[in-house]
Each structure stands twice: as structure tokens, then as C-alpha cells.
Amino acid sequence: MDEKLKTVFPILFNGGTANLKLVDDSKPLESGVLVEVQPPGKKLSHMALLSGGEKALVAMALIFAIYLIKPSPFLLLDEVDAPLDEATSTGSMIC
């Protein structure tokens, strides 16, 4: 999974690096996973320190990395950009 993420991440971010680390190496089946990313021109950080758009792109990179390991017959991405929506949005559209 880590190798596929390292392949997909630079494509979506036009550079940068990403990797996955287990929180507790002694219990690999019970451990959480830490996603460490370094978008181009920024310091190494984890998901909590990224902007909404960067989080959405990292999530897409993870989904595509999983898809490269275990393809499915279809892939549906709906509301991928939801973190970018304005918090004060009323839900109405002006055409």
C-alpha cells in the first residue's frame, strides 16, 4: 500500500512525497496508521496539519492507491471536494 501511495501522491500533487507508518509496530493488526505527507514546497506533516483541499487530494491518493492494489469494477467519487465548501453555505444555488 505504501509503495502505491508513493506512486500516486506525486501525480496528484505535482511532486512531493507520502508514506504510511504504523502507530504501534509491535501490534500490526491492531495498530493505527499514520499518513505522513510532504506536498511540494512544504514541510513534512500529517493529515491534521493540511488544508481542506490538501486533505481531499490525500484522501483521493489513498483511494487510488487501494484501487491499484485491489481493483473493483466501478469507483464512485461523490462530494470529494466537500471540505472545500463554504461553512456558511445555505445550500441554494444562484444560476
Side-chain angles (χ1 to χ4, degrees):
M1 172 73 183
D2 188 45
E3 291 302 316
K4 296 295 184 186
L5 180 63
K6 288 179 180 180
T7 303
V8 173
F9 183 86
I11 295 170
L12 292 179
F13 276 85
N14 199 21
T17 60
N19 62 7
L20 300 174
K21 288 187 178 181
L22 290 176
V23 174
D24 185 4
D25 289 332
S26 65
K27 299 178 184 177
L29 298 177
E30 299 172 10
S31 177
V33 177
L34 180 63
V35 180
E36 292 181 335
V37 297
Q38 184 176 7
K42 292 193 172 188
K43 291 178 130 180
L44 182 68
S45 62
H46 53 83
M47 289 283 291
L49 300 177
L50 299 176
S51 70
E54 290 169 333
K55 286 179 185 178
L57 278 175
V58 171
M60 286 177 50
L62 284 168
I63 290 170
F64 292 149
I66 292 168
Y67 187 79
L68 289 172
I69 294 169
K70 178 96 171 134
S72 88
F74 59 90
L75 179 65
L76 177 67
L77 298 174
D78 185 29
E79 296 288 335
V80 172
D81 61 344
L84 304 178
D85 293 342
E86 291 183 27
T88 59
S89 176
T90 60
S92 61
M93 291 182 61
I94 299 173
C95 296

